Amino acid sequence: MRILTGVQPSGKLHLGNFFSVIRKLKEYQTTTDLFCFVADLHSLTTFSSKEKQKDNTYNAVCDFLALGIDPDRCTFWLQSGVPEVAELTWYLSQFISVNQLELAHSYKDKIAKGFHPRGGLFFYPVLMAADILGFDSDKVPVGKDQKQHLEYARDIAAAFNREVGSVFKIPEPEIDEATALVPGTDGQKMSKSYGNTINFFDSEKELKKSVMSIMTDSAGVDEAKDPDKSHIYSIHSLFLDDAKKQKLRERFLTPGNGYGDLKKNLLQNILDYFAPYRAEREKIAADPTYVRDALKKGRDKARQTISSVLDRVRNELGIYRF
Ligand code: ADP
Ligand code: TRP
């Protein structure tokens, strides 16, 4: 069973990213054949400067290594280090219509907001299909917002298999319903683009600021609070097992606990939970040689894997290799 996932290096990781996908990767690398990469080609769709592109990419790689991605146990690479994925993107683009691509949420949303999207954004789902199909992936863990992209990959694979030859595995999305939509500090989906994130690698001071900004109603200290309507509760419960969730519910329901204290409690939990990862991240970020070697190992294996898939594709398409 091969599990594959990618994350764009487009800024700091937040609790939504962690609980929907990243948390599971450590377990997958011990129980399955995990392929995981940093999607730096996709992030060019929001390019602002080469310095930022480089910083974000290095930071994302360090984040994953610190969060437990072990280059000896899984195939971990940088998307741009495997140029074969661009060749496969071109082949795959012959198996999807423009009409279908025009329906992509990521593309449609930009148009609705009055932007003039570029070709890269239009082609984003095809590059993502190449990421997935090029490595014979069985399962792809993603957040709910990526579901449509998975459907594109499945449609393209099916069209290729039907029209030219049976080459691709049809991948399955894996979406954990319990954490499919982690709410942000304002209760909307936690997302960089809404400015409502809690970034667990931020400094303690920044983390405190984010947690303290979680929106609440105006219930006073002496009033009972409804945990099911509180963003503090929904975020805090991500960290807790059933027994601890029950205890936290009781704290909400018992007058005498103010929102300030409930937030401080959450902050402490976040700091404790991520303390080992934060320490590891500092060590890794200061060791570029380790980072480079880790990526090189994964890149070599990823290139080998996609090359054998590409051989099958070229063969079915009648592309000569002299
Ligand atoms: P953002 O919305 O902050 O830009 P990304 O698009 O970089 O996040 O998401 C990376 C991964 O994390 C994707 O698989 C995405 O579906 C998942 N993800 C992001 N935010 C959330 C959230 N609030 N709840 C659940 N999953 C999320
Ligand atoms: N589009 C994904 C995101 O924004 C990142 C990604 C690129 C990806 N290629 C992928 C995820 C392949 C899973 C599989 O989160």
Side-chain angles (χ1 to χ4, degrees), residues 14 16-17 20-21 143 145-146 179-182 189-192:
H14 55 69
N17 305 137
S20 62
V21 179
D145 58 338
Q146 295 296 315
T179 52
L181 273 188
V182 174
K189 173 196 175 248
M190 187 176 285
S191 172
K192 284 183 289 283

Side-chain angles (χ1 to χ4, degrees), residues 4-8 10 17 20-21 37 39 42 104-106 124-125 127-129 131-132 140-154 172-175 180-181 189 191-192:
L4 173 141
T5 198
V7 175
Q8 280 196 65
S10 44
N17 305 137
S20 62
V21 179
F37 65 96
H42 275 108
H105 300 312
S106 43
Y124 186 112
L127 176 59
M128 184 156 159
D131 288 332
I132 296 169
V140 184
V142 281
K144 212 172 191 166
D145 58 338
Q146 295 296 315
K147 194 166 175 232
Q148 190 193 31
H149 287 147
L150 254 292
E151 278 156 15
Y152 279 117
R154 288 165 58 87
E172 294 286 337
E174 188 179 76
I175 298 166
L181 273 188
K189 173 196 175 248
S191 172
K192 284 183 289 283

Side-chain angles (χ1 to χ4, degrees), residues 270-286:
I270 297 176
L271 289 172
D272 292 346
Y273 188 92
F274 287 103
Y277 299 122
R278 291 157 66 87
E280 187 64 15
R281 196 190 180 294
E282 258 185 50
K283 243 172 55 194
I284 287 172

Side-chain angles (χ1 to χ4, degrees), residues 106-117:
S106 43
Y107 178 75
K108 266 177 32 183
D109 290 354
K110 286 275 176 336
I111 295 198
K113 285 183 186 143
F115 290 106
H116 296 287

